[in-house]
Amino acid sequence: PHFLFNTINTIAMLIRTDPQRARELLREFAAFYRRTLEENEDLISLKRELDFVHKYLMFEGARFGERLKVEERIDDDLLELEVPAFILQPLVENSVKHGARPGGAVRVTISTARTESAYIIEVEDDGVGIRADDLPRVLEPGFGRGLGIALRNVDDRLKGHFGPESGLSVESVEGEGSTFHF
């Protein structure tokens, strides 16, 4: 829900300062949500999932401007890998929403890797990080700001599709950033 409200607020601000940009974002936002609501597949290609992330980042880019930097290190051979729909976007959103320093910048890196026994997808940020005392609780329902369900939802969905060894892992150093990988 915070993505929805933040995007609406960004578009509302742009109506005064850049009406043409606001109109473009509103059309894209409608198309994004239409596609989201019509999406009925459990598993989609990583390429398609990255398309959702790119749309999301377009809206956040309008809000954050130059303060948001995104880098992708995606192995082209993994673009057809099947992942649960909307599994990356919540991780990227978490990095942007909770990682950015007030009034400051945040860099988010999305990467893939392959080992002999697994595929690894990672979202890393250089933001504020998570306090060491809080880190063991980040996957608990209701933890953190907002509804506190996004990370838990990602973890549960991964385990439901690929088994208990495939869940979400979170590493973080307060003041330096966080890494989410599965």
Side-chain angles (χ1 to χ4, degrees):
H2 43 80
F3 166 55
L4 173 69
F5 297 128
N6 288 341
T7 302
I8 290 170
N9 287 332
T10 298
I11 293 170
M13 178 207 54
L14 286 171
I15 287 171
R16 283 185 239 109
T17 60
D18 190 349
Q20 180 60 34
R21 181 74 173 132
R23 207 171 3 265
E24 292 168 9
L25 282 177
L26 195 53
R27 281 191 205 110
E28 289 292 336
F29 191 57
F32 175 81
Y33 261 94
R34 186 174 301 112
R35 187 173 173 193
T36 299
L37 295 172
E38 290 172 354
E39 190 64 51
N40 59 5
E41 297 176 55
D42 284 343
L43 297 174
I44 62 173
S45 70
L46 178 60
K47 180 180 183 337
R48 208 153 142 214
E49 178 68 7
L50 286 167
D51 289 342
F52 290 134
V53 170
H54 296 153
K55 287 284 191 199
Y56 163 76
L57 289 168
M58 179 187 64
F59 301 122
E60 290 298 355
R63 184 169 155 231
F64 281 88
E66 294 297 316
R67 295 181 300 143
L68 175 60
K69 306 285 186 202
V70 179
E71 181 180 346
E72 290 185 11
R73 299 181 198 144
I74 307 297
D75 182 345
D76 287 341
D77 292 341
L78 298 183
L79 287 174
E80 294 306 315
L81 180 70
E82 289 193 330
V83 298
F86 296 102
I87 207 77
L88 269 179
Q89 186 273 336
L91 301 179
V92 173
E93 182 175 352
N94 196 79
S95 286
V96 172
K97 181 174 173 36
H98 301 295
R101 291 171 174 78
V106 65
R107 176 178 298 278
V108 178
T109 304
I110 305 166
S111 59
T112 60
R114 183 188 312 212
T115 68
E116 285 184 26
S117 60
Y119 300 108
I120 300 167
I121 300 174
E122 184 172 276
V123 175
E124 180 181 10
D125 67 67
D126 67 353
V128 298
I130 302 167
R131 291 178 345 123
D133 292 347
D134 291 339
L135 192 57
R137 300 179 39 228
V138 297
L139 297 180
E140 292 177 8
F143 179 78
R145 294 179 284 173
L147 298 176
I149 60 172
L151 296 180
R152 177 58 183 249
N153 180 282
V154 167
D155 186 53
D156 285 347
R157 291 174 56 225
L158 287 166
K159 289 177 179 176
H161 279 288
F162 305 114
E165 68 283 351
S166 63
L168 181 65
S169 296
V170 182
E171 299 169 11
S172 187
V173 176
E174 189 174 6
E176 294 182 23
S178 301
T179 303
F180 307 89
H181 59 270
F182 59 92

